Amino acid sequence: QVQLVESGGGLVQAGDSLRLSCATSGRTFSSYTMGWFRQDPGKEREFVGGISWLGGRTYYADSVKGRFTISRDNAKSTVYLQMNSLSPEDTAIYYCAARSGGDINILPRSYAYWGQGTQVTVSS
């Protein structure tokens, strides 16, 4: 079983920055890809970005390119989402997820393991 624990969310003002963390435990395969998603109540869960665990290749949604950065610490089995220049449109619950094999995928149904989510609220 793979467990994902997210942290780092909070209330910030527009233009501020936050760094979210996703710590993993349990069985982790070298081929796993990690993804970040976000969701507001009543809306579809949307892809934010992803990273290949071994290769470190990243991919981002157009809405966050240039503002968000995904990184990883293999020794700590942790992935991060650095969010800069936040705006109210970024307000959502942010989830980390994992899938085994393949490349980064933008579809939530492609990920088998999910964290509990952490709330990010950006005020204007």
Side-chain angles (χ1 to χ4, degrees):
Q1 181 178 349
V2 176
Q3 296 174 318
L4 310 176
V5 180
E6 299 145 315
S7 61
L11 174 63
V12 298
Q13 294 181 325
D16 286 353
S17 298
L18 278 175
R19 189 176 78 159
L20 306 183
S21 299
C22 178
T24 69
S25 62
R27 181 179 293 276
T28 302
F29 299 99
S30 61
S31 61
Y32 270 31
T33 293
M34 304 297 298
W36 285 96
F37 295 80
R38 65 186 183 185
Q39 185 173 23
D40 259 342
K43 297 183 178 180
E44 294 289 320
R45 187 168 298 185
E46 65 174 342
F47 174 80
V48 175
I51 185 170
S52 173
W53 191 256
L54 289 181
R57 183 163 61 101
T58 57
Y59 181 77
Y60 302 95
D62 289 340
S63 60
V64 305
K65 284 181 179 178
R67 298 189 298 119
F68 291 9
T69 302
I70 296 175
S71 61
R72 72 188 194 280
D73 186 330
N74 289 347
K76 297 180 179 179
S77 298
T78 300
V79 296
Y80 305 94
L81 180 65
Q82 178 67 46
M83 305 184 294
N84 299 326
S85 301
L86 287 165
S87 69
E89 289 70 32
D90 297 313
T91 295
I93 300 175
Y94 283 72
Y95 300 89
C96 63
R99 66 188 300 266
S100 60
D103 295 324
I104 299 169
N105 197 297
I106 68 171
L107 300 177
R109 59 181 171 84
S110 298
Y111 293 79
Y113 304 98
W114 292 83
Q116 80 288 348
T118 184
Q119 177 70 49
V120 173
T121 302
V122 185
S123 65
S124 59

